[in-house]
Amino acid sequence: MEGLHAQDANSQGPTTASGTSGSTVAPAADASATNPKNQGVRSGQSMTSLEVVNVNAATNSGGLMSPENADKAESDLTAQALRKMSAVTDPVQAMASIPGVFVSSSDPAGLTASTGFMVNGFDGSRLSYTLDGVPMNEAADYNIYPTFLGDTQNVDDLNVAAGLSDIDAPSISAEGGHVSLITRQPSATPGLYVEGSVGNYDVRKGFVRLDTGQTGPLRTWISFSRTTSDIWQGPGELGSSRVQAKSVLDLGGQNSISMTAMYLRTVGNNYLEPTKAQYDKYGWDYGYSDVAPQFTTTPGKADNAVSQLAIANSYYGLQNNKSDVTYVSADGEFQLADKLNLSVIPYFYMAKQGGSGGAIYLSESTKSPYGMNVGQTVDLNHDGDTLDTVPAYLYVYSNIWRPGINTKINYSGDNNSVTAGIWYEAYRKSEPYTLSAIGDNGLPVDRWAESARYRLPDGTPIDYDNYYVKSASGKAYLADNYTFNDQWKASAGISYNHLAIDDYIRTPGVYRAPNPVVTNESVLIHEDYSTVQGDIGLSYTPNDNNNFFFHSSTGYRPPIAKAYWSYTAENIDTLQRVKPETTWTNQLGWRYNNGDFMFSSTLLDVNYKNYQTQHYDQFLQLSYFNAGAVRQYGVLSEASWHFDPHWTLYSSYSYLHATQQDDFVSNTSSGEVVLPTEGKRMAGIPQNMLSTSLEYDLDHTFIRLSGKYNGARYGDLLNTEKVGGYTTFDFNAGYTFSDWGMLGQPQLRLSVNNLFDKHYLGYVYSTTTNAVAYHGVAASSPTYLVGQPRFEMLTLSFNLR
C-alpha cells in the first residue's frame, strides 16, 4: 500500500515594482497596493527615510528577500520573484530559497502530494498555512497539500514566519511557524491575462484570469487553469482543473468585504516512494510498472489471487487518486470607531478526496493471516462458488465538511495596538477504506470505487476500515504591540486553545490484519485537549539600517486523529495514549538594510517534549508514538546585494542541529527493548542548507541562475540509514516584448529546474525507528521522495486590455 498518499486519501500578469531601472516584467495595476509589505505607502503620501530604504530594498532584491521589522524571524517572496519561476511551481516548491526551508519534490508539475518540506526542522503538519486568512491545514492530521493552495499566478505575497506561529493564527497545532499566502487584489481596470506553458514529460498548463475592473463599489477577478502531466518514473498521468475568484466590495471609509472562492479537481496516478535499497538496486527512475496482474475467475474452482498480489501492488493501474475541493470565505474589515476596528473572517471548506493503495485479498470461506475474511461464507466474485481467494482494490476516500470563523477586534492607540479575538472551527470527516472488485485484466472494475464494492449477503459494504471524525477547535487570544519610542518596541500575546475530538471506528464488515474480527459495533474515542500558550518579543531599531530582535514562544500539538485509530474496544482502556507535543522556541536576531544590501541572521533554539512521530509496521499500518524530548538549535541567515544597477546576488544559509534526548522503548513479542536513540540526530532534518541566486536584469531581459544544497539526512531514529546531501541548480530567463497594443507587453519565459539532471533521494517520506534489526526489534525501511529530473518549461503570456 505504498502508493496510498496523504493528499489522495484526503490527495496573472507579471508584476514589477514601479521605478525599477531595467525592469523586465510587465506591470500590473497598482502593484504596490497589492503587496501587504507596502501597505500604508501610497502615492501622495510622504515616506520616512526608513520606508524609502524598505521599498528600494524590496525592489532591488528581485523579490527573494523583503525588509522585515517584526520581532521574530520572517522571510518573504513577492510576486516579482514568483513570476520568474516555472509556471507550474506550487507555493511550497517556491519556498526553497528561504533560510531554514527544506523542500524536495518528485513532481515537477506540482499536481500531487509528492512534495515534502520542513521549516526549521518542523514538518508541514507543525506549521499553520493560511490563504487570505483562511486555514488550509487538514484538521484531522494537520497536513498541508500544496496543490490545494491555488495557482502561484494569483499569489501576491508569500510570507514565512519561521519557528514561531502568530498568536492569532487559526490553528491548534502550529508550533513551527506560519506560512501566509495573500492573493492579488482585483484591479480597478478591466483586463484579461492569458498564459500558456509547455514542458517536457508532456507537461501543459493554460491559465486565464479576467479582471472586471471597478463596477460601482465592486471589483473582481476570476481565473481558470488546466494542468496536465505524465509521470516521469513510468506509466501514468496527472491532471488538475482549478477555478479561483476574488472580489472586493468597498463600503466606504475603512470598511470593506473581500470574498474569495476556489474549486479544484485533481485526477491521476501516483508516484512511488522507494526505499534506499530499491533506489540503489533499480535506479533513480524506478516507479510503478505497466505489467498488470492476471487474475482468473473459474466457476467450481478455488481461484487464488495471492500469487499475483506482488504484481498488483506494483501496477500503476491500481495506484490512483482524485480530489474535489471547494472553499469559500469572506474577510470583513470594519471601522467601529476612531482607532477601533473589527475583522470577521468566516469560511467553509468541503472536499471529497481519495487515493488507492493497491490490492489485498479476501477469502470467501476461511480466515487468512495477512488478508481479510468476511466472517461468513459469501460468493464475492459471483462465480457460483465460495472457494476463492479474491483480489480486492483498496481505495480510501474522505468526505470533509469544515466551517469556521475567526473574529478579532483591534484598538490602535498612540503607543500600542491591542488585538483580541476568537477563532472557532467545526470539522466532520468520514473515511471508509473501501474494498471493490478487480477485473481479470488487473484493473479495478471502478477506478473510484463508487460501484463494484464487495458486500455481505445483506448488502452491507465490506470495508478494510471505516472511520468518522468529529472535532471542534477553538482559540481565544489577546495580543499587544507596544511602542516605547522610535527605537524600542515590544509585543506580548496569550491564547487559550481547546480541541474536542470524537473518533469513531466503524467496522460493519471486517477489521484489519493481523487478527481479522467481525463486528458491527462502532468504537468511540473521545479526547479533550486544552492549553494556554504565550509569546513575548522585543525589537530595537537604533537607526534606519539596523534592527535587533528577540522572541520567545510556547507551542502545543495535540495527537492527530489517526493516532487513535489503532484502538479497538478490547484495548481502548489499556493502550498507552499518544501524548500532546509541546515546544519552547527562542529567537535572537539582527537585520541590516541600506537599500542595496540586506542581511538577516537569527539564532534559533527549540526544545520539544513528547515529540510525535510515526512509522509503518509490517502490516503497512501507520503506528503513532512519542519519541521523547528533542533539542534543536541553529542559525538562519540570508542576504541580498544589489551590487550593480543590473545585477543582484542573493544567498541564504541554515544550520540546524536536532538531537533526541531520550532512548526509545520498543515493545516486541519478547518484551521491551531499549533503542539507544539518545544523542542521535532527528530523522529527516538536513543539518546544513545553502541557497544562492545570481540575477541579471536589463531593459526587457532577465536571467537568473540559482543553486541549493541540502545536507545529508537520516531515515530512522537510530541513525542506521543515511542518505547523502545533494546540490541542484535552476535557470530562469525571460524577455518582455515592446507594447503590442491591445495585447499589452507579451512575455516569453524559459525555466529549467534541476539544470544538470542531478539524481538523488530527497525528503524522508516515512521514517522508521530502526532501519537495521536491533536486539529483536525487526528492521523497517524508510521510504523517500525521489528528486525530480531536469525539467524544462517555456511560457508565453499576454496582458490583454
Side-chain angles (χ1 to χ4, degrees):
M1 291 186 289
E2 290 182 286
L4 187 58
H5 291 165
Q7 169 187 340
D8 309 323
N10 292 306
S11 200
Q12 99 224 318
T15 62
T16 183
S18 58
T20 306
S21 171
S23 175
T24 64
V25 193
D30 193 15
S32 65
T34 63
N35 190 337
K37 291 295 174 183
N38 294 333
Q39 293 297 320
V41 180
R42 299 288 185 270
S43 60
Q45 293 182 333
S46 62
M47 293 188 292
T48 67
S49 59
L50 178 59
E51 289 170 335
V52 172
V53 169
N54 286 349
V55 171
N56 289 340
T59 298
N60 294 338
S61 71
L64 293 174
M65 184 176 180
S66 293
E68 310 288 350
N69 57 14
D71 56 16
K72 57 185 174 182
E74 288 190 354
S75 296
D76 270 89
L77 290 176
T78 69
Q80 185 183 3
L82 294 171
R83 304 303 183 265
K84 294 178 180 179
M85 299 178 183
S86 164
V88 293
T89 298
D90 66 47
V92 169
Q93 293 169 341
M95 293 163 47
S97 64
I98 292 176
V101 174
F102 171 45
V103 178
S104 173
S105 179
S106 299
D107 178 13
L111 294 173
T112 69
S114 296
T115 296
F117 55 100
M118 291 181 169
V119 177
N120 294 355
F122 292 93
D123 63 40
S125 68
R126 289 174 167 85
L127 308 166
S128 67
Y129 297 77
T130 58
L131 180 60
D132 289 328
V134 176
M136 299 301 291
N137 297 71
E138 216 287 331
D141 59 15
Y142 316 134
N143 278 322
I144 185 70
Y145 306 113
T147 311
F148 297 175
L149 296 177
D151 289 304
T152 53
Q153 286 85 348
N154 291 326
V155 176
D156 195 63
D157 184 82
L158 192 162
N159 175 267
V160 179
L164 298 165
S165 183
D166 296 332
I167 201 74
D168 61 347
S171 172
I172 199 72
S173 62
E175 308 164 297
H178 182 199
V179 180
S180 171
L181 285 83
I182 305 297
T183 58
R184 67 185 293 275
Q185 294 287 82
S187 173
T189 305
L192 180 66
Y193 178 72
V194 180
E195 182 179 281
S197 304
V198 295
N200 53 335
Y201 305 108
D202 206 27
V203 176
R204 304 286 188 270
K205 180 171 183 176
F207 177 88
V208 179
R209 184 180 58 234
L210 173 67
D211 269 289
T212 65
Q214 193 79 39
T215 306
L218 185 69
R219 48 196 165 96
T220 300
W221 61 256
I222 183 169
S223 70
F224 172 79
S225 68
R226 171 67 179 165
T227 308
T228 58
S229 172
D230 289 341
I231 288 181
W232 60 266
Q233 282 182 337
E237 297 178 338
L238 302 165
S240 74
S241 299
R242 187 193 322 267
V243 178
Q244 266 185 280
K246 185 173 186 176
S247 295
V248 175
L249 179 66
D250 186 358
L251 301 177
Q254 297 185 31
N255 303 294
S256 66
I257 299 176
S258 176
M259 295 155 284
T260 60
M262 182 175 71
Y263 170 75
L264 169 69
R265 166 169 283 192
T266 66
V267 176
N269 301 107
N270 296 331
Y271 278 97
L272 183 139
E273 300 85 26
T275 64
K276 186 175 184 293
Q278 290 172 326
Y279 178 86
D280 291 340
K281 181 177 181 179
Y282 299 113
W284 69 279
D285 58 351
Y286 173 64
Y288 291 107
S289 168
D290 59 0
V291 177
Q294 300 298 313
F295 299 110
T296 59
T297 303
T298 309
K301 179 183 176 182
D303 298 309
N304 194 329
V306 175
S307 63
Q308 291 291 304
L309 281 189
I311 298 174
N313 286 315
S314 298
Y315 179 45
Y316 87 99
L318 295 174
Q319 299 292 332
N320 303 297
N321 66 78
K322 180 181 179 181
S323 297
D324 287 284
V325 179
T326 302
Y327 88 83
V328 293
S329 69
D331 181 355
E333 302 293 332
F334 309 102
Q335 185 177 34
L336 303 181
D338 184 34
K339 301 182 180 181
L340 190 65
N341 294 278
L342 174 67
S343 174
V344 182
I345 305 178
Y347 59 90
F348 178 73
Y349 178 100
M350 180 174 64
K352 183 175 182 178
Q353 306 157 216
S356 59
I360 62 170
Y361 60 88
L362 293 174
S363 171
E364 292 183 329
S365 59
T366 60
K367 288 188 177 182
S368 47
Y370 298 103
M372 304 298 297
N373 168 247
V374 300
Q376 54 189 285
T377 300
V378 58
D379 183 9
L380 294 172
N381 59 359
H382 307 292
D383 67 347
D385 63 55
T386 56
L387 305 173
D388 308 317
T389 300
V390 302
Y393 176 55
L394 177 59
Y395 186 85
V396 185
Y397 69 85
S398 302
N399 283 307
I400 297 172
W401 180 85
R402 182 184 179 187
I405 187 169
N406 193 11
T407 301
K408 54 187 172 184
I409 192 166
N410 174 263
Y411 172 77
S412 297
D414 294 335
N415 296 315
N416 68 325
S417 175
V418 180
T419 299
I422 296 176
W423 166 65
Y424 176 80
E425 178 181 282
Y427 178 82
R428 305 289 185 270
K429 175 181 179 179
S430 63
E431 189 169 82
Y433 284 47
T434 66
L435 298 172
S436 60
I438 298 175
D440 289 351
N441 62 357
L443 289 170
V445 173
D446 182 347
R447 186 180 183 186
W448 311 123
E450 294 174 350
S451 63
R453 290 177 65 177
Y454 287 130
R455 297 179 181 273
L456 295 175
D458 64 1
T460 301
I462 300 173
D463 294 329
Y464 185 74
D465 271 325
N466 194 323
Y467 308 113
Y468 177 72
V469 179
K470 180 175 68 173
S471 69
S473 305
K475 174 187 288 190
Y477 52 87
L478 177 67
D480 186 18
N481 291 276
Y482 189 84
T483 301
F484 296 96
N485 50 46
D486 291 341
Q487 296 178 328
W488 289 94
K489 297 179 181 179
S491 69
I494 189 171
S495 68
Y496 172 75
N497 307 333
H498 181 255
L499 170 66
I501 185 168
D502 289 327
D503 274 306
Y504 297 87
I505 304 174
R506 302 183 298 189
T507 53
V510 297
Y511 206 54
R512 64 162 64 97
N515 298 306
V517 297
V518 178
T519 176
N520 289 311
E521 299 178 0
S522 290
V523 179
L524 168 63
I525 302 99
H526 175 80
E527 295 286 353
D528 274 287
Y529 297 97
S530 298
T531 184
V532 175
Q533 300 295 301
D535 67 14
I536 56 171
L538 186 66
S539 173
Y540 173 59
T541 307
N543 51 49
D544 289 346
N545 303 118
N546 291 278
N547 173 252
F548 301 88
F549 64 90
F550 169 78
H551 205 103
S552 182
S553 176
T554 59
Y556 184 83
R557 184 180 190 264
I560 67 174
K562 289 182 180 179
Y564 314 122
W565 290 356
S566 60
Y567 300 167
T568 67
E570 289 73 27
N571 68 9
I572 185 67
D573 295 323
T574 60
L575 196 63
Q576 182 177 358
R577 307 292 183 92
V578 178
K579 300 175 183 177
E581 177 182 299
T582 61
T583 57
W584 179 29
T585 301
N586 297 285
Q587 294 181 347
L588 179 66
W590 168 53
R591 303 183 181 103
Y592 176 82
N593 177 12
N594 69 4
D596 286 329
F597 179 76
M598 285 189 293
F599 175 79
S600 175
S601 186
T602 303
L603 299 177
L604 176 72
D605 180 77
V606 183
N607 291 275
Y608 295 85
K609 289 185 178 180
N610 300 318
Y611 185 89
Q612 298 168 9
T613 189
Q614 62 191 46
H615 72 90
Y616 285 93
D617 62 22
Q618 65 267 41
F619 304 108
L620 298 178
Q621 291 295 321
L622 272 175
S623 176
Y624 300 87
F625 54 90
N626 294 112
V630 174
R631 171 77 186 283
Q632 177 177 287
Y633 59 85
V635 61
L636 314 171
S637 298
E638 65 177 332
S640 176
W641 183 26
H642 191 60
F643 61 89
D644 178 270
H646 307 296
W647 289 91
T648 301
L649 178 66
Y650 170 84
S651 186
S652 69
Y653 171 72
S654 308
Y655 173 80
L656 297 171
H657 185 75
T659 55
Q660 301 165 77
Q661 304 299 296
D662 297 307
D663 290 334
F664 179 76
V665 178
S666 178
N667 293 307
T668 71
S669 57
S670 302
E672 293 185 346
V673 176
V674 177
L675 298 177
T677 55
E678 182 180 355
K680 304 290 186 181
R681 279 176 50 189
M682 278 303 300
I685 302 176
Q687 188 160 270
N688 291 279
M689 291 181 285
L690 175 66
S691 177
T692 300
S693 172
L694 180 64
E695 181 173 337
Y696 176 75
D697 193 324
L698 175 65
D699 297 331
H700 295 270
T701 305
F702 80 85
I703 299 173
R704 175 184 287 173
L705 178 65
S706 56
K708 179 70 182 283
Y709 168 76
N710 292 303
R713 283 105 35 237
Y714 287 101
D716 63 326
L717 299 183
L718 199 55
N719 290 185
T720 57
E721 181 168 290
K722 184 178 182 180
V723 292
Y726 61 92
T727 303
T728 57
F729 293 89
D730 296 336
F731 175 81
N732 297 277
Y735 180 80
T736 302
F737 295 88
S738 301
D739 197 311
W740 287 14
M742 67 174 299
L743 294 179
Q745 292 178 274
Q747 187 189 58
L748 184 66
R749 301 200 313 271
L750 172 66
S751 302
V752 184
N753 296 340
N754 194 2
L755 180 62
F756 300 110
D757 202 23
K758 177 72 173 179
H759 298 167
Y760 60 92
L761 287 175
Y763 187 84
V764 183
Y765 185 76
S766 65
T767 61
T768 65
T769 54
N770 52 302
V772 175
Y774 181 86
H775 293 189
V777 181
S780 181
S781 297
T783 61
Y784 303 85
L785 297 181
V786 180
Q788 67 182 51
R790 180 170 54 236
F791 173 64
E792 304 106 6
M793 171 156 278
L794 195 64
T795 299
L796 181 63
S797 60
F798 299 89
N799 261 316
L800 283 72
R801 56 177 186 266

